[in-house]
Amino acid sequence: MSAGRPAVENLVIVGSGPAGYTAAIYAARANLNPLLITGFQDGGIPGGQLMTTTDVENFPGFPDGVLGPVLMDKMKAQAVRWGSHLVEADADGIDLSARPFRIQADGETFHAQALIIATGASANRLNLPSEQRFWSRGISACAICDGATPQFRGEELAVVGGGDSACEEAVYLTKYGSRVHLIVRGSRLRASGAMADRVLANPNITVHWNRQLVDVSGDDWLDGLSLRDTTGPEAAEATETLSVRGLFYAIGHTPNTHLVQGQLELDSLGYVVTKPGRPETSQEGVYAGSGCQAALAAERWLSHHDLAVTVSHNPVDPKPSGEPMATAESDAENFEADGLWQKGSYALRKLYHDSPRPVLVVYTSPSCGPCHVLKPQLKRILDELGGAAQGVEINIEADPEIAQQAGVTGTPTVQLFFQKELKQTFRGVKQRSEFKTAIEALLNPSLLD
């Protein structure tokens, strides 16, 4: 049990997308002291699909749009401000066979009177014959995360899909690629009118209608796509080859409901079935769907069954959350030889040559949601190690030459250096323990035995 937490939680929320954080805000303001398991790797990243989105333009209150990760940061801060407790880990198991319900996460078992499922969905893959070979070597499921990598700059790129996500990614990639090819299986876009208009009006985007991606090819890096005309005979072979250096998937999602499979009623696509227009599921005390509705229904159910143990806020109005402080670019004036976390090429050069400690270098891009998630975890590791290691953040848009020299093929990428030697490279979001174990092994070589 986490320190200071009750033996049985009023409400546990699994998932930290918009629905999860909205549920947490409503439950916290109802004095339910909710516990939210954010997720970390399984089924995506904390913050959900908006963490891999650029401008969100249909959310009320932001007339000029807001970056997806920024919006999720604000939701998270609001949930925490009102008293939500976050467990930044994956939920490893959910047991609904007895009350209170049991949820496993971060090596602990949490007991809950009520549960909200807000686990969202994960991006689909095409499972092409050569897909695994070129994954992170030209193929990506997140243009927003990886589009700025040096290998894609000035190159012809492709996006597969015809919905809003595909259109958004195609437009975004025109910032980096010489031309973007949008591969659409049908004869029209399924995107909203505004997004479709942007694609069709963009002179740097070519739409390939009625085309199915059959396979990819290349040597050490992707350099071509094989396409089939979907209007031709079903058994026809690929009819054309398209030369591109990058391929990005935007082909829909699969719900992350494997933890409740066999325990809750799911529909044919795997989504949790709820009552029409309501958040109640097939199990009493378990809710899904709209975060606001789910939290309000859980509060009513807990109160009706006299199960809620409420807490009072002291002070009544919590302190403002404030705005997060960005790390300043290091230079000769502000560089700190003993600083735990710094930014930019100057700090990297100084620490690489002069630091006697292990140095974590994280390569990020400004719109990379997974980077947004990982950086606080890396900073937490450095704090826990009490200054025994240091960290440097490199923005690959500001320093593309450094990223290219380092062989960065996507963000986030983390490299661990010690005594001017590259010891380990991590690609994507990893558990905090992986980084910490690797650093501790350098500090204490006997751990390697």
Side-chain angles (χ1 to χ4, degrees):
M1 183 196 315
S2 294
R5 298 302 300 176
V8 180
E9 303 283 346
N10 289 314
L11 174 65
V12 168
I13 302 160
V14 182
S16 60
Y21 281 136
T22 300
I25 291 166
Y26 273 77
R29 285 175 55 82
N31 293 345
L32 289 179
N33 192 23
L35 184 144
L36 187 147
I37 299 173
T38 67
F40 197 70
Q41 284 179 303
D42 187 25
I45 61 172
Q49 295 170 35
L50 287 186
M51 294 299 286
T52 57
T53 301
T54 52
D55 290 320
V56 179
E57 298 176 318
N58 59 357
F59 193 86
F62 295 91
D64 299 318
V66 56
L67 286 175
V70 173
L71 177 60
M72 295 318 302
D73 273 355
K74 291 180 178 293
M75 288 190 182
K76 176 182 177 180
Q78 189 173 358
V80 171
R81 177 177 181 247
W82 284 102
S84 301
H85 179 76
L86 306 188
V87 176
E88 296 179 312
D90 289 322
D92 302 313
I94 295 176
D95 185 355
L96 305 178
S97 63
R99 297 181 184 277
F101 305 129
R102 293 184 293 278
I103 305 96
Q104 295 177 331
D106 203 23
E108 296 187 64
T109 298
F110 300 95
H111 297 81
Q113 303 287 11
L115 177 68
I116 292 176
I117 303 295
T119 46
S122 297
N124 291 335
R125 293 193 182 189
L126 284 171
N127 297 316
L128 303 172
S130 303
E131 181 178 275
Q132 194 58 40
R133 177 185 170 193
F134 293 103
W135 196 262
S136 294
R137 302 200 65 78
I139 302 180
S140 168
C142 181
I144 310 304
C145 310
D146 299 338
T149 53
Q151 290 85 350
F152 298 134
R153 289 177 178 265
E155 301 286 355
E156 299 213 8
L157 309 173
V159 177
V160 181
D164 275 333
S165 295
C167 289
E168 179 189 17
E169 295 198 353
V171 172
Y172 175 79
L173 288 170
T174 60
K175 293 168 52 179
Y176 307 106
S178 60
R179 173 154 295 278
V180 177
H181 300 270
L182 183 60
I183 314 300
V184 183
R185 186 181 178 94
S187 58
R188 64 181 183 86
L189 294 172
R190 294 176 287 101
S192 62
M195 289 305 302
D197 288 346
R198 287 177 184 171
V199 165
L200 298 175
N202 195 311
N204 294 319
I205 298 176
T206 300
V207 182
H208 299 260
W209 304 105
N210 301 307
R211 291 295 184 269
Q212 178 182 355
L213 181 58
V214 177
D215 204 1
V216 294
S217 58
D219 294 321
D220 292 335
W221 190 269
L222 175 80
D223 63 20
L225 312 180
S226 296
L227 304 177
R228 183 178 69 81
D229 185 348
T230 60
T231 62
E234 190 64 30
E237 296 294 327
T239 57
E240 61 186 279
T241 300
L242 186 63
S243 295
V244 300
R245 294 286 288 172
L247 171 64
F248 300 86
Y249 289 176
I251 51 172
H253 297 80
T254 297
N256 300 318
T257 52
H258 58 282
L259 292 178
V260 294
Q261 191 170 11
Q263 302 187 84
L264 295 179
E265 182 183 355
L266 308 179
D267 66 15
S268 60
L269 297 177
Y271 289 92
V272 175
V273 173
T274 60
K275 294 182 179 180
R278 297 285 305 160
E280 289 85 358
T281 70
S282 58
Q283 171 73 273
E284 187 180 3
V286 180
Y287 305 89
S290 163
C292 171
Q293 276 192 325
L296 293 174
E299 179 194 5
R300 285 193 295 268
W301 184 83
L302 288 166
S303 298
H304 177 74
H305 292 280
D306 200 24
L307 294 172
V309 179
T310 57
V311 297
S312 298
H313 293 291
N314 186 18
V316 174
D317 292 318
K319 293 180 181 179
S321 59
E323 292 294 328
M325 293 291 293
T327 303
E329 187 86 9
S330 294
D331 55 26
E333 297 286 330
N334 63 13
F335 171 74
E336 299 179 31
D338 294 325
L340 286 189
W341 188 271
Q342 298 181 78
K343 183 177 182 179
S345 57
Y346 184 89
L348 175 59
R349 287 194 301 271
K350 293 290 288 183
L351 293 178
Y352 175 81
H353 288 289
D354 301 337
S355 178
R357 289 164 278 189
V359 177
L360 275 178
V361 183
V362 55
Y363 300 88
T364 73
S365 62
S367 56
C368 168
C371 303
H372 221 63
V373 169
L374 185 59
K375 284 190 291 184
Q377 300 300 322
L378 298 178
K379 293 176 184 178
R380 179 175 167 185
I381 292 168
L382 299 178
D383 284 337
E384 291 172 351
L385 292 173
Q390 295 172 279
V392 180
E393 175 186 346
I394 296 295
N395 177 349
I396 67 169
E397 289 196 16
D399 293 302
E401 299 84 2
I402 293 176
Q404 188 162 18
Q405 185 178 4
V408 174
T409 60
T411 57
T413 294
V414 178
Q415 292 182 331
L416 175 60
F417 291 90
F418 187 46
Q419 298 175 347
K420 297 184 181 181
E421 291 186 14
L422 174 61
K423 297 297 185 180
Q424 202 163 343
T425 297
F426 308 84
R427 302 188 190 279
V429 174
K430 306 295 181 187
Q431 293 285 358
R432 189 171 63 251
S433 59
E434 289 191 41
F435 300 105
K436 191 172 184 180
T437 298
I439 295 171
E440 288 174 335
L442 295 177
L443 296 171
N444 184 2
S446 64
L447 295 175
L448 297 173
D449 298 335

